Amino acid sequence: MDVKSRNYLLMNRQALEKDIKTSYIMDRMISDEVLTLQEEEKVKQQNTQKERAAMLINIILTKDNNSYRSFYNALLHEGYRDLAALLQDGIPAISSGNGKSSMDGTTSYVKTILCEGGVPQRPVVFVTRPKLVDAIKQKLCCLGSDPGWVTVYGMAGCGKTVLTAEALRDHQLLEDYFPGGVHWVSVGKQDKAGLLIKLQNLCSRLENDSTLSQRPPLNIEEAKDRLRLLMLRKYPRSLLILDDIWDSWVLKAFDNQCQVLITSRDRSVTDAVAGNKYEVHVESGLAHEKGLEILSLFVNMKISELPEQANCLVRECKGSPLVISLIGALLRDFPSRWEYYLKQLQNKQFKRIRKSSSYDYEALDEAMSISVEQLNDNYKDYYKDLSILPKDVKVPTKVLCILWDMETEEVEDILQEFVNKSLLFCDRNGKSFHYYLHDLQLDFLTEKNRNQLQELHKNIVNQYKKYYKLNTPVPSQEDCMYWYNFLAYHMAGANMQKELHDLMFSLDWIKAKTELVGPAHLIHEYVEYSSILDQKNGTVRENFQEFLSLNGHLLGRQPFPDIIQLGLCQPETSEVYQQAKLHAQRETGAFYLEWINKKSLKNLYRLVVRPHRDAVYHACFSKDRQRIASCGADKTLQVFKAESGERLVEISAHDDEILCCAFSADGEFVATCSADKKVKIWNSRTGQCRCVYEEHSEQVNCCQFSNRSGQYLLATCSNDTFIKLWDLNKKYCRNTMMGHVNSVNHCRFSPNDEYVASCSTDGTVKLWEACSANELKSIEIKDFFKNADDQPDDVEVLVKCCSWSRNGDMILVVAKNKLLLFDVKTCDLLTQVIVSHHSTIQYCDFCPGDELVAVALSHCSVELWNIKSLSKVAYCRGHMSWVHCVAFSPDGSLFLTSSDDQTIRIWETKKVCKSSDAVLKSELDVVFHNGEVMILAIYNQKHLQLINGNTDSVNMQTAAQESTISCCCLSEDLKFAAFGQESGTIKVLQLLDGKILKSQEAYRTSVQHCRFTSDCQTLISSAHDSVIQVWNWQLSECVFLRGHKEAIKDFRLLENSKLLSWSFDGTVKVWNITTGNTEKDFACHGGAVLSCAVSPDGSKFSSTSADKTAKIWSFESSSVLHELKGHEACVRCCTFSPNNKLLATGDDKGEIRIWDILTGALLHFCSPVTVDEGEPTHGGWVTDLSFSPDSKMLVSSGGYLKWWNVTTGESLQTFYTNGTNLKSIHVSPNFKVYVTVDNLGILYVLQKL
């Protein structure tokens, strides 16, 4: 280190040791590569702040000049400007060519040249924009020694002048290319007299040391000649800089075969002059971090200490250097006015943001206004029309062609004039041009034309109507997306209530728009324009909004569902239903279904979204409840609006599945952690990655921010057994908590941020002190799982997650199927709840009110429990697969759930708590009798209900049985019903009064099937074994059909007291039910036989199997007629057509095949196409099939219901049930009524319209 620099450090050592905090300074010095991590550790080991500062100075004294410079710059950037000033004169020089360098790298040679040439000095607050500076230098080098022009252009206040001056602070550039010097002229807006004065001053400056002092030139022509001679003879190879050029005629005065750099808002300004021309476009905004850096320098604060309003200011002005500098300078004088200036900017009060810098205009609005005033009068009107363009939207030329009723070329010529003057921006990347305004320009225009905005909006709507008449734009048209996104915006802006009503309440518009952009934007519009839409009747808007909110996850997928059919599922009072019914009645030949028993169903969720293409592992609310972040198996992070599901940010965030995500307390950041072992921090609004942490050695399971705003502390836990704490302002882990001996699954800060709780596969929950990372307490959860002998259970107790009570006194822990509530101080168990005997708990969350707990279960449902009364208060069904996560909003009014089914559902807590949890089992029997649909169903597992499907009324309900009911059946005359139980008991009851007539303990295992014979006197049943029982319940006689070697899959009655049965042993048998003898025995398949069907003429039957084949057999010859190959999965079901010509088979891949019975040939696939990365069109297994009486249509059940055209194999209609996994479909003889139950226990009685 230079002696002078060393002396300055020693001289000011006392002041430095007294004031500086070393941590941030060392971060900067490490990034400058002048300080090592070992040296940083050495400093950290010192006890006091003063000792740490002294150690750092000792280390710097042993180093070179670079460490002094780095230390000086760190002081400057971290807000120690007074201390930096003490060291300023000791900064070692940088040797560069001839002349010594000053602290900013500018040599004395450069300083002299720039000073003589009148180049402006750097502003007091300056941040580098190296890419643009380098671009200007590069274009100047391109001039070489030839005359020519370099134009630096951009909108008002984008930093053209500062960047140009900075490009000239380059020793090599001046020495190699412009040894004759540089001459700067600030031109601005001038008339001829003003220009002459500028030229006279320049000539006078260039003649400065001339012995022949001449009189000033008397006119522009004379001045031009004088300047040409001076540049040619006295200043060859010099550069003339003309700052702020407005008019091309001004340039002609300087067009004298020399090298000129100009700054201008008008790109086309050099069109009128000759010579080589080069351009540099200056972007209108700074990067977000650069904007914050300027503000921090103005107010003398660290970036990390800036208030939240700083982020908002930079975002609001889109990083405009002018606005940031103006506001920064104002804040330097009035440091408490952050909120005030932000409001002025948001409210477009540009006049209040007045001059307080070296900028040429009094206020921000004046700077923009002067550009507009330069336009010709007819162009001003066209520019005014742009006042109603939406923010941040690139508008295709076609939209403006419609607005102005002009040809494309005419419109492009007008717009190019605006582009040239930096009043508009053009994106030329696509097939056609797209135009957009900077936010400040748009704000200026809307403020200036505020009184005319309604008329301007009305004009664009009328032009749209005139152009499209009654049609709507089609996707192939370039303006299509603009109208779908913004037609409602213009109608609302014009206050065109009727037009907006007609548009937003039209199923045609909704269908067209959702197919293109999904439902979220429409939901947003219903919310945004509710004040206009609700003027006559708010219910209609609520109907449409609810329709989209609850069906959005379907509307976002391909193939696009029939919106009319979805509309028909709405309540009959809904405007959506009424419109859908009118549409359905108008469409001739279309196939639509009415859900006739839907009245009993209440929708409990507020919104369903499908943001991911795979399982959603985690989702959470932002603190203000406005946004939701979600992540999952598709490796993406999504941030969307909680109100509408409208996507705000989508990031391909990791290289493997993302297991958890979390908002910071102020909502600025989102953390993600992944199976790729990384933790990443993202800006929640821009999607930019702020930092990546890679210190975990195994997958990271959970991440959680601390609860206090402004304190960016993050806890993460991993399969590597560690919990780590991170400070976002540092690059490395702050603390590591060691103590678990197996994977750590979950971690959470206590409400006051003093503690961290962690849950592990080792069977413990541990509490840690956040500041010291010391273990405070450990609770052995496995002690609370004992077997019958009161010994600890051998099975590993995996502690899934935990949740703190609002005051931090209690902690809720989840393991297996139990909720355990502990006192934090004593670690005593306060209470425990066994939530379910059939599934495990995946996640839990305490409601902010402390009484309710939401529990996510592996069997697709979510339950709410009152932890004080230990009672279940709600059962939430809706997901079609495992639920991974449940989280309350900060105020507890909403909660969200995320699932393997790719959806996130948002529920209203109060609404859910008022609902009942009535559920039907999927095993039911249906009799179609004299136009009535009578359904026997198992209700809440232990009751039997007889339901009239036409009226949705319950005709009979039994008392609760002692054992769960597993199957049921009706007699054809509707006098009797029978049911089997899990205990193995079979009972027969009278339907008139529900009285049990006979009971028999038939099996030791659960009864699987039961059926009456046609005379209703005999009941046939099978269980989880290989025996079929034929019970004449009236005579109490029983015949046993023994012969199968494995469990019976199912059976069906044939004529003449015959029975066909099939089994998991691969055989099919024909029995005589009177004698109990086997009449025929078919060894059909190598795998289990999953279904059989009998041909209408009774001569043949078909069998399908887990071996992926189907076969057609002859009863008479006992031989196989055809083996049907081609299915790629288990063939689950089959049925013959009534005309005896066709066989349909369905498999577990969702495919249906139609075969010719006579030849065994494959005739059709029923839509074997897949969608959305391999999701089958049938949404899972095909479980049941049924032909129409004319054999032209086929209905199938599986993930949902589908109807097919048998001749073409095309889908005619799809009915999306609320749940999935439909086990069977019962069809009326006339093929007009269909009955099924989904896995949520919801009954569907559908009637063809």
Side-chain angles (χ1 to χ4, degrees), residues 156-174:
C158 65
K160 302 181 289 292
T161 302
V162 173
L163 289 166
T164 301
E166 192 59 25
L168 300 175
R169 289 184 181 90
D170 185 307
H171 187 108
Q172 210 68 47
L173 177 79
L174 297 181

PDB file of all heavy atoms in Angstrom, residues 156-174:
ATOM      1  N   ALA A 156     -37.914  11.617 -22.583  1.00  0.00           N
ATOM      2  CA  ALA A 156     -37.516  12.639 -21.613  1.00  0.00           C
ATOM      3  C   ALA A 156     -37.069  12.003 -20.313  1.00  0.00           C
ATOM      4  O   ALA A 156     -37.750  11.127 -19.789  1.00  0.00           O
ATOM      5  CB  ALA A 156     -38.691  13.583 -21.353  1.00  0.00           C
ATOM      6  N   GLY A 157     -35.905  12.455 -19.808  1.00  0.00           N
ATOM      7  CA  GLY A 157     -35.458  12.038 -18.481  1.00  0.00           C
ATOM      8  C   GLY A 157     -34.904  10.642 -18.395  1.00  0.00           C
ATOM      9  O   GLY A 157     -34.849  10.066 -17.313  1.00  0.00           O
ATOM     10  N   CYS A 158     -34.480  10.039 -19.525  1.00  0.00           N
ATOM     11  CA  CYS A 158     -33.967   8.667 -19.457  1.00  0.00           C
ATOM     12  C   CYS A 158     -32.456   8.626 -19.209  1.00  0.00           C
ATOM     13  O   CYS A 158     -31.878   7.556 -19.071  1.00  0.00           O
ATOM     14  CB  CYS A 158     -34.317   7.887 -20.720  1.00  0.00           C
ATOM     15  SG  CYS A 158     -33.520   8.523 -22.205  1.00  0.00           S
ATOM     16  N   GLY A 159     -31.806   9.808 -19.170  1.00  0.00           N
ATOM     17  CA  GLY A 159     -30.382   9.836 -18.817  1.00  0.00           C
ATOM     18  C   GLY A 159     -29.446   9.938 -20.002  1.00  0.00           C
ATOM     19  O   GLY A 159     -28.267   9.582 -19.900  1.00  0.00           O
ATOM     20  N   LYS A 160     -29.906  10.461 -21.128  1.00  0.00           N
ATOM     21  CA  LYS A 160     -29.072  10.545 -22.341  1.00  0.00           C
ATOM     22  C   LYS A 160     -27.822  11.412 -22.106  1.00  0.00           C
ATOM     23  O   LYS A 160     -26.711  11.047 -22.472  1.00  0.00           O
ATOM     24  CB  LYS A 160     -29.894  11.144 -23.504  1.00  0.00           C
ATOM     25  CG  LYS A 160     -31.148  10.391 -23.852  1.00  0.00           C
ATOM     26  CD  LYS A 160     -31.907  11.000 -25.008  1.00  0.00           C
ATOM     27  CE  LYS A 160     -32.586  12.323 -24.680  1.00  0.00           C
ATOM     28  NZ  LYS A 160     -33.692  12.209 -23.737  1.00  0.00           N
ATOM     29  N   THR A 161     -28.017  12.584 -21.496  1.00  0.00           N
ATOM     30  CA  THR A 161     -26.919  13.540 -21.300  1.00  0.00           C
ATOM     31  C   THR A 161     -25.862  12.965 -20.365  1.00  0.00           C
ATOM     32  O   THR A 161     -24.655  13.014 -20.666  1.00  0.00           O
ATOM     33  CB  THR A 161     -27.474  14.864 -20.735  1.00  0.00           C
ATOM     34  OG1 THR A 161     -28.454  15.364 -21.653  1.00  0.00           O
ATOM     35  CG2 THR A 161     -26.380  15.891 -20.537  1.00  0.00           C
ATOM     36  N   VAL A 162     -26.296  12.424 -19.240  1.00  0.00           N
ATOM     37  CA  VAL A 162     -25.353  11.877 -18.253  1.00  0.00           C
ATOM     38  C   VAL A 162     -24.559  10.724 -18.860  1.00  0.00           C
ATOM     39  O   VAL A 162     -23.335  10.629 -18.671  1.00  0.00           O
ATOM     40  CB  VAL A 162     -26.121  11.401 -16.992  1.00  0.00           C
ATOM     41  CG1 VAL A 162     -25.206  10.682 -16.018  1.00  0.00           C
ATOM     42  CG2 VAL A 162     -26.787  12.578 -16.307  1.00  0.00           C
ATOM     43  N   LEU A 163     -25.225   9.851 -19.612  1.00  0.00           N
ATOM     44  CA  LEU A 163     -24.553   8.699 -20.216  1.00  0.00           C
ATOM     45  C   LEU A 163     -23.541   9.133 -21.273  1.00  0.00           C
ATOM     46  O   LEU A 163     -22.446   8.579 -21.374  1.00  0.00           O
ATOM     47  CB  LEU A 163     -25.591   7.753 -20.844  1.00  0.00           C
ATOM     48  CG  LEU A 163     -26.462   6.982 -19.846  1.00  0.00           C
ATOM     49  CD1 LEU A 163     -27.664   6.369 -20.559  1.00  0.00           C
ATOM     50  CD2 LEU A 163     -25.666   5.886 -19.158  1.00  0.00           C
ATOM     51  N   THR A 164     -23.915  10.137 -22.063  1.00  0.00           N
ATOM     52  CA  THR A 164     -23.008  10.636 -23.100  1.00  0.00           C
ATOM     53  C   THR A 164     -21.745  11.235 -22.463  1.00  0.00           C
ATOM     54  O   THR A 164     -20.617  10.949 -22.891  1.00  0.00           O
ATOM     55  CB  THR A 164     -23.727  11.698 -23.964  1.00  0.00           C
ATOM     56  OG1 THR A 164     -24.880  11.092 -24.563  1.00  0.00           O
ATOM     57  CG2 THR A 164     -22.822  12.238 -25.045  1.00  0.00           C
ATOM     58  N   ALA A 165     -21.946  12.048 -21.430  1.00  0.00           N
ATOM     59  CA  ALA A 165     -20.790  12.653 -20.741  1.00  0.00           C
ATOM     60  C   ALA A 165     -19.916  11.566 -20.132  1.00  0.00           C
ATOM     61  O   ALA A 165     -18.676  11.649 -20.175  1.00  0.00           O
ATOM     62  CB  ALA A 165     -21.282  13.611 -19.655  1.00  0.00           C
ATOM     63  N   GLU A 166     -20.530  10.518 -19.599  1.00  0.00           N
ATOM     64  CA  GLU A 166     -19.760   9.430 -18.977  1.00  0.00           C
ATOM     65  C   GLU A 166     -18.936   8.673 -20.014  1.00  0.00           C
ATOM     66  O   GLU A 166     -17.807   8.270 -19.752  1.00  0.00           O
ATOM     67  CB  GLU A 166     -20.728   8.472 -18.262  1.00  0.00           C
ATOM     68  CG  GLU A 166     -20.081   7.472 -17.341  1.00  0.00           C
ATOM     69  CD  GLU A 166     -19.270   8.107 -16.230  1.00  0.00           C
ATOM     70  OE1 GLU A 166     -19.541   9.266 -15.843  1.00  0.00           O
ATOM     71  OE2 GLU A 166     -18.337   7.444 -15.731  1.00  0.00           O
ATOM     72  N   ALA A 167     -19.509   8.481 -21.214  1.00  0.00           N
ATOM     73  CA  ALA A 167     -18.780   7.775 -22.274  1.00  0.00           C
ATOM     74  C   ALA A 167     -17.503   8.514 -22.663  1.00  0.00           C
ATOM     75  O   ALA A 167     -16.519   7.897 -23.109  1.00  0.00           O
ATOM     76  CB  ALA A 167     -19.689   7.607 -23.498  1.00  0.00           C
ATOM     77  N   LEU A 168     -17.490   9.850 -22.483  1.00  0.00           N
ATOM     78  CA  LEU A 168     -16.316  10.641 -22.863  1.00  0.00           C
ATOM     79  C   LEU A 168     -15.213  10.599 -21.805  1.00  0.00           C
ATOM     80  O   LEU A 168     -14.100  11.055 -22.051  1.00  0.00           O
ATOM     81  CB  LEU A 168     -16.730  12.100 -23.113  1.00  0.00           C
ATOM     82  CG  LEU A 168     -17.769  12.310 -24.234  1.00  0.00           C
ATOM     83  CD1 LEU A 168     -18.187  13.762 -24.315  1.00  0.00           C
ATOM     84  CD2 LEU A 168     -17.224  11.839 -25.580  1.00  0.00           C
ATOM     85  N   ARG A 169     -15.509  10.065 -20.614  1.00  0.00           N
ATOM     86  CA  ARG A 169     -14.490   9.977 -19.554  1.00  0.00           C
ATOM     87  C   ARG A 169     -13.636   8.727 -19.777  1.00  0.00           C
ATOM     88  O   ARG A 169     -13.540   7.850 -18.913  1.00  0.00           O
ATOM     89  CB  ARG A 169     -15.156   9.938 -18.175  1.00  0.00           C
ATOM     90  CG  ARG A 169     -15.769  11.258 -17.783  1.00  0.00           C
ATOM     91  CD  ARG A 169     -16.344  11.278 -16.379  1.00  0.00           C
ATOM     92  NE  ARG A 169     -16.922  12.585 -16.102  1.00  0.00           N
ATOM     93  CZ  ARG A 169     -18.175  12.927 -16.349  1.00  0.00           C
ATOM     94  NH1 ARG A 169     -18.998  12.040 -16.836  1.00  0.00           N
ATOM     95  NH2 ARG A 169     -18.607  14.159 -16.101  1.00  0.00           N
ATOM     96  N   ASP A 170     -13.061   8.624 -20.966  1.00  0.00           N
ATOM     97  CA  ASP A 170     -12.259   7.447 -21.329  1.00  0.00           C
ATOM     98  C   ASP A 170     -10.974   7.908 -21.998  1.00  0.00           C
ATOM     99  O   ASP A 170     -10.998   8.430 -23.118  1.00  0.00           O
ATOM    100  CB  ASP A 170     -13.078   6.543 -22.262  1.00  0.00           C
ATOM    101  CG  ASP A 170     -12.361   5.245 -22.588  1.00  0.00           C
ATOM    102  OD1 ASP A 170     -11.205   5.290 -23.042  1.00  0.00           O
ATOM    103  OD2 ASP A 170     -12.969   4.174 -22.389  1.00  0.00           O
ATOM    104  N   HIS A 171      -9.895   7.742 -21.284  1.00  0.00           N
ATOM    105  CA  HIS A 171      -8.596   8.224 -21.752  1.00  0.00           C
ATOM    106  C   HIS A 171      -8.269   7.682 -23.142  1.00  0.00           C
ATOM    107  O   HIS A 171      -7.890   8.431 -24.055  1.00  0.00           O
ATOM    108  CB  HIS A 171      -7.519   7.787 -20.734  1.00  0.00           C
ATOM    109  CG  HIS A 171      -6.163   8.348 -21.013  1.00  0.00           C
ATOM    110  ND1 HIS A 171      -5.600   9.335 -20.238  1.00  0.00           N
ATOM    111  CD2 HIS A 171      -5.264   8.088 -21.991  1.00  0.00           C
ATOM    112  CE1 HIS A 171      -4.410   9.637 -20.716  1.00  0.00           C
ATOM    113  NE2 HIS A 171      -4.191   8.893 -21.784  1.00  0.00           N
ATOM    114  N   GLN A 172      -8.411   6.356 -23.303  1.00  0.00           N
ATOM    115  CA  GLN A 172      -8.040   5.698 -24.558  1.00  0.00           C
ATOM    116  C   GLN A 172      -8.879   6.206 -25.724  1.00  0.00           C
ATOM    117  O   GLN A 172      -8.365   6.454 -26.820  1.00  0.00           O
ATOM    118  CB  GLN A 172      -8.247   4.182 -24.399  1.00  0.00           C
ATOM    119  CG  GLN A 172      -7.301   3.322 -25.235  1.00  0.00           C
ATOM    120  CD  GLN A 172      -5.870   3.424 -24.761  1.00  0.00           C
ATOM    121  OE1 GLN A 172      -5.610   3.335 -23.576  1.00  0.00           O
ATOM    122  NE2 GLN A 172      -4.952   3.675 -25.674  1.00  0.00           N
ATOM    123  N   LEU A 173     -10.186   6.381 -25.495  1.00  0.00           N
ATOM    124  CA  LEU A 173     -11.092   6.838 -26.549  1.00  0.00           C
ATOM    125  C   LEU A 173     -10.686   8.224 -27.040  1.00  0.00           C
ATOM    126  O   LEU A 173     -10.573   8.468 -28.245  1.00  0.00           O
ATOM    127  CB  LEU A 173     -12.523   6.868 -26.015  1.00  0.00           C
ATOM    128  CG  LEU A 173     -13.590   7.393 -26.985  1.00  0.00           C
ATOM    129  CD1 LEU A 173     -13.974   6.325 -28.000  1.00  0.00           C
ATOM    130  CD2 LEU A 173     -14.838   7.849 -26.239  1.00  0.00           C
ATOM    131  N   LEU A 174     -10.434   9.138 -26.109  1.00  0.00           N
ATOM    132  CA  LEU A 174     -10.081  10.518 -26.490  1.00  0.00           C
ATOM    133  C   LEU A 174      -8.733  10.562 -27.182  1.00  0.00           C
ATOM    134  O   LEU A 174      -8.545  11.273 -28.174  1.00  0.00           O
ATOM    135  CB  LEU A 174     -10.080  11.417 -25.256  1.00  0.00           C
ATOM    136  CG  LEU A 174     -11.427  11.574 -24.532  1.00  0.00           C
ATOM    137  CD1 LEU A 174     -11.280  12.511 -23.345  1.00  0.00           C
ATOM    138  CD2 LEU A 174     -12.510  12.098 -25.458  1.00  0.00           C
TER     139      LEU A 174
END
